[in-house]
Structure formats: C-alpha cells, structure tokens
Amino acid sequence: MSVRILALVGSLRAGSHNRQLAEAAVGLAPEGAEVQVYEGLADIPFYNEDLDVEGQVPAAAARLREVAGSADAFLLFSPEYNGTIPAVLKNAIDWLSRPFGAGAFGGKPVAVIGTAFGQYGGVWAQDETRKAVGIAGGKVLDDVKLSIPSSVTRFAETHPADDAEVAGQLSEVVARLHGHAAETVAA
C-alpha cells in the first residue's frame, strides 16, 4: 500500500520556487510513497462559514476536502509574505479544518517547509503555518524542517531539484514524513 502525501503550495506565481520544491518532492518520494501537488488553491473562495453549508460547499472547496480526506499526510510549502503565511495557504488550512472536529488534517502527519527571498528562508511563515495546521488538527512534525534562504539568487539559474544540497535535504524531509505516515496508517 502506498502512502499518499498531499503537497499544498502557498505561492501561486508561475515561477514559484516553492512550487519547484514541491515538484522536486514528487520525484524524490521514496518507494511506497506518492506525493501529489494539489492544483486549484487559487480557485477556492475565502473561508466563510455562510458558504460552508452541507450540500452547498463551493465546488473548489469540496474538491480540496475530498482530495485531502484521502491523503495520509501533508507536506506544506510556505514562502513568506510580509513576515507571515500567504493567504492562499491559510485559506486552504481554514477549509480543511472544518467541519469542526472532523477536518481533513485529523491527526495526520504534517511537515512544513519552504524557501523565501530573505536570509532566514521564510521561518516566520513556516512557524505560523505549523501553528495554524496544528490548531486545525494536524499532527505537526516539529522536528522535520527545511527553510532555504535567498531563493531568488540561489535558484536564479538552478532548479531546486538540481541543487544537490537541497535535493538531499528535501529527500530526507519526504522520507521522514513518509515514515511517520506509514506508522499512522499501520496503527
């Protein structure tokens, strides 16, 4: 049985280095793991309890919940926007935190990583993401971290998958997440 890891990327930009990291994670998944990069976060309306009515949930949000519900673990990629989590990623977490007590994160392992232009690689945003997803019910793996600084210069001419140091670190993150997920699935 393959462990399904759903990757959510907090950047919508076509040339996003976080998206490139997510794509690299797909290729670095160990045997027995499948990483799927979710497409469509831009289509999900901002969370509004008035929209979150059984049988009337917007199609884009319902699709996210359906895909996330079948995931065994989550790998969240967060850049840093003005010192915090991007709205699109926070919105996905909000939709997946509901219905209250039965959200898609429900005790599943979650790792949060990413890259940003600044010298700290987006750690503030990643910490805020860990906080939000933990409150939303995810089992945050606080010891599985990867924050890559200076993304604009580091990846100016090199895809993250072609950076040996980054590929090695990313491979370790995916392997550790897979291990936690496999334990959870087996329990």
Side-chain angles (χ1 to χ4, degrees):
M1 179 178 115
S2 183
V3 170
R4 295 170 309 246
I5 300 170
L6 184 61
L8 302 177
V9 181
S11 175
L12 301 177
R13 188 172 63 85
S16 164
H17 297 119
N18 281 285
R19 171 154 300 280
Q20 291 174 357
L21 277 174
E23 292 165 353
V26 171
L28 294 170
E31 186 174 331
E34 173 193 344
V35 177
Q36 174 191 359
V37 180
Y38 187 81
E39 302 292 343
L41 290 185
D43 301 327
I44 301 169
F46 282 113
Y47 185 80
N48 177 338
E49 209 168 312
D50 292 340
L51 299 176
D52 195 4
V53 177
E54 190 174 338
Q56 298 177 22
V57 173
R63 181 176 167 272
L64 172 64
R65 284 180 173 167
E66 179 181 340
V67 172
S70 67
D72 299 309
F74 297 89
L75 182 56
L76 278 53
F77 294 82
S78 183
E80 191 167 273
Y81 292 178
N82 297 315
T84 193
I85 180 174
V88 68
L89 188 54
K90 177 63 168 70
N91 189 48
I93 293 169
D94 290 344
W95 277 103
L96 294 176
S97 72
R98 305 288 197 285
F100 184 75
F105 290 117
K108 296 176 185 177
V110 181
V112 180
I113 65 172
T115 186
F117 176 67
Q119 65 182 341
Y120 302 111
V123 294
W124 290 346
Q126 293 158 29
D127 286 345
E128 290 293 318
T129 303
R130 285 183 195 91
K131 175 182 156 187
V133 78
I135 292 169
K139 180 182 169 190
V140 178
L141 306 178
D142 285 320
D143 63 333
V144 179
K145 296 180 179 180
L146 177 59
S147 301
I148 305 163
S150 308
S151 61
V152 173
T153 53
R154 182 162 192 162
F155 303 125
E157 296 183 22
T158 303
H159 190 285
D162 298 326
D163 181 312
E165 179 184 16
V166 169
Q169 292 170 332
L170 183 58
S171 181
E172 182 180 333
V173 164
V174 176
R176 290 181 66 198
L177 178 59
H178 170 253
H180 283 278
E183 288 175 13
T184 302
V185 169

